[in-house]
Amino acid sequence: MADITRRLGWRHLRGAPTAHIRHHRGGKLLHDGPGLSFWFRALTAALSEVPVDDRELAMTFHARTSDFQDVAVQATVTYRISDPAVAATRLDFSVDPDTGAWRGTPLEQLGTLLTETAQQHALDVLARTPLSAALVDGVTAVRERIASGLAGEPRLPATGIEVVAVRVMALRPEPEVERALRTPAREQIQQEADRATYERRAVAVERERTIAENELASQIELARREEQLVDQRGTNARREAEEHAAADAVRAEAEAARTVRLADAEAARTVRLAEAEATRSVRLARAEAEGAREVGEARAQAQAAWLRVHAEVDVATLHALTGTRLAENLPRIDSVTVSPDVLTGLLAKLGAQAQEQTQEQA
């Protein structure tokens, strides 16, 4: 929309670079071009503004395929007004000199023209195509048919319109038909998923079986190696026992030989000691016998001398000596009590003995 400013009965228009402005006064064209800026009088000016930029026209319409199925077509047409002068003469692009707004709806007219033309060509191609083929290759076919149909439409160049591009985004059937069409694919996908799940499970089971076999083989190998280890340990233990037994036998033989040597040495030493002891005992016995003989001879000589001495001594002296010797051998007596009877008898005995000695001497 043009920017119009009012000043004391005059108007100033400032157009955009993408808008083609045409100014007529009294049937004469005074200004013609994009992005113009000029003063004018509202009562005598006829203004038109034609956009020359690229515009997008989105369209959605329904069509029917050869198997009588409804489909929705979503497309976009990019166009531009290539000849603003022709477009201004064929469509109402006039603007209000006070507000700068279009008096009519030229862009809606262009949209209706393009939509109906594109819809006509799309319906033509979809009417000869079944739904399954339309869903597979219909987007390309419809786009090419709409592009070629719009390029060959004579009314568009006559209106100054140039089609830049055509895009078809989707061809969608009705929701019920779409769900019905999705069911086989979903079933197939589900079957593929189930088959993949079963295959994965089978692979997992196979791997588990392989792992179990490997574990069993490992256990068998470990058991075999343990058996070998036990056998080797038994062999080592037996060999060690044999070596120990041989060593013990050697030690026993050495100990026995040493014991025999020690016993022989002890016996020899004992024999030597016994011989020495016997010799010493014989010597001692001989010495003792010699000493005893000498002592006996000395005692005999002493006894003989004693007897000779006593034989030469009188009886009274002997008695006195006997009493003295007896007194020496008696225990110690602190006090003696002599009764008259005892003293009388003793004196009688002593007198009798004295008489006997006197008689003998006489």
Side-chain angles (χ1 to χ4, degrees):
M1 185 176 67
D3 184 12
I4 297 178
T5 306
R6 292 181 290 180
R7 292 289 188 276
L8 300 175
W10 288 85
R11 303 289 186 271
H12 182 272
L13 183 145
R14 183 174 59 198
T18 57
H20 189 92
I21 306 298
R22 293 174 62 85
H23 176 211
H24 291 79
R25 187 178 64 185
K28 293 182 179 180
L29 182 61
L30 300 179
H31 297 90
D32 184 16
L36 297 180
S37 179
F38 54 88
W39 290 90
F40 67 92
R41 296 183 64 87
L43 296 177
T44 60
L47 302 174
S48 62
E49 181 183 8
V50 181
V52 293
D53 56 340
D54 291 349
R55 292 183 173 267
E56 302 284 342
L57 176 63
M59 59 185 70
T60 301
F61 54 88
H62 290 271
R64 180 172 294 181
T65 62
S66 62
D67 49 0
F68 305 100
Q69 299 295 327
D70 289 338
V71 292
V73 181
Q74 296 178 358
T76 300
V77 175
T78 304
Y79 69 95
R80 73 166 65 96
I81 298 176
S82 58
D83 193 346
V86 176
T89 59
R90 300 295 300 270
L91 298 174
D92 185 10
F93 284 98
S94 62
V95 298
D96 189 339
D98 293 328
T99 61
W102 279 317
R103 297 178 184 274
T105 56
L107 295 182
E108 292 181 2
Q109 295 176 4
L110 285 177
T112 302
L113 175 62
L114 292 172
T115 301
E116 291 178 353
T117 305
Q119 184 176 0
Q120 177 182 357
H121 294 288
L123 293 177
D124 185 37
V125 70
L126 289 175
R128 294 192 299 271
T129 306
L131 179 62
S132 58
L135 294 178
V136 175
D137 300 324
V139 172
T140 303
V142 170
R143 183 180 67 250
E144 292 177 354
R145 183 59 181 273
I146 291 176
S148 61
L150 292 176
E153 180 66 29
R155 186 180 176 183
L156 296 179
T159 313
I161 299 173
E162 178 185 358
V163 176
V164 178
V166 177
R167 298 188 303 276
V168 177
M169 278 71 72
L171 293 176
R172 299 181 63 88
E174 293 182 348
E176 295 81 3
V177 177
E178 186 174 5
R179 284 194 295 271
L181 293 174
R182 287 178 179 177
T183 300
R186 288 183 176 178
E187 291 295 332
Q188 185 177 0
I189 293 173
Q190 186 64 38
Q191 292 176 3
E192 293 291 335
D194 294 339
R195 184 167 61 253
T197 302
Y198 297 149
E199 290 178 356
R200 185 171 60 254
R201 290 180 179 176
V203 171
V205 170
E206 182 66 21
R207 290 180 179 176
E208 290 179 357
R209 184 181 65 81
T210 305
I211 293 172
E213 290 179 354
N214 293 334
E215 290 180 353
L216 182 59
S218 299
Q219 293 178 359
I220 294 173
E221 181 65 20
L222 288 176
R224 185 178 64 81
R225 292 188 178 182
E226 287 180 357
E227 183 179 0
Q228 293 178 356
L229 181 60
V230 170
D231 293 341
Q232 186 64 35
R233 285 180 177 176
T235 302
N236 295 337
R238 185 169 57 254
R239 185 179 301 171
E240 185 177 0
E242 291 176 355
E243 291 178 356
H244 287 171
D248 291 340
V250 172
R251 284 196 297 270
E253 291 178 358
E255 187 67 23
R258 189 176 64 84
T259 303
V260 170
R261 289 194 299 270
L262 290 176
D264 293 340
E266 186 67 23
R269 190 174 63 84
T270 303
V271 170
R272 289 193 300 270
L273 290 176
E275 291 178 353
E277 185 67 23
T279 304
R280 190 175 62 84
S281 298
V282 170
R283 292 177 181 176
L284 288 175
R286 289 178 182 178
E288 289 178 357
E290 184 66 24
R293 185 178 60 76
E294 292 179 356
V295 170
E297 290 179 356
R299 286 181 179 179
Q301 291 177 3
Q303 187 69 27
W306 184 79
L307 289 176
R308 284 193 303 272
V309 171
H310 283 77
E312 296 177 356
V313 179
D314 56 359
V315 176
T317 303
L318 292 176
H319 285 168
L321 291 174
T322 300
T324 302
R325 184 67 57 85
L326 180 62
E328 292 176 357
N329 294 326
L330 288 176
R332 182 178 179 181
I333 300 173
D334 293 331
S335 63
V336 178
T337 302
V338 182
S339 63
D341 297 334
V342 175
L343 183 58
T344 304
L346 180 59
L347 292 176
K349 288 181 180 181
L350 291 175
Q353 291 179 359
Q355 290 178 1
E356 290 178 0
Q357 291 179 356
T358 305
Q359 293 176 358
E360 290 178 359
Q361 291 177 0

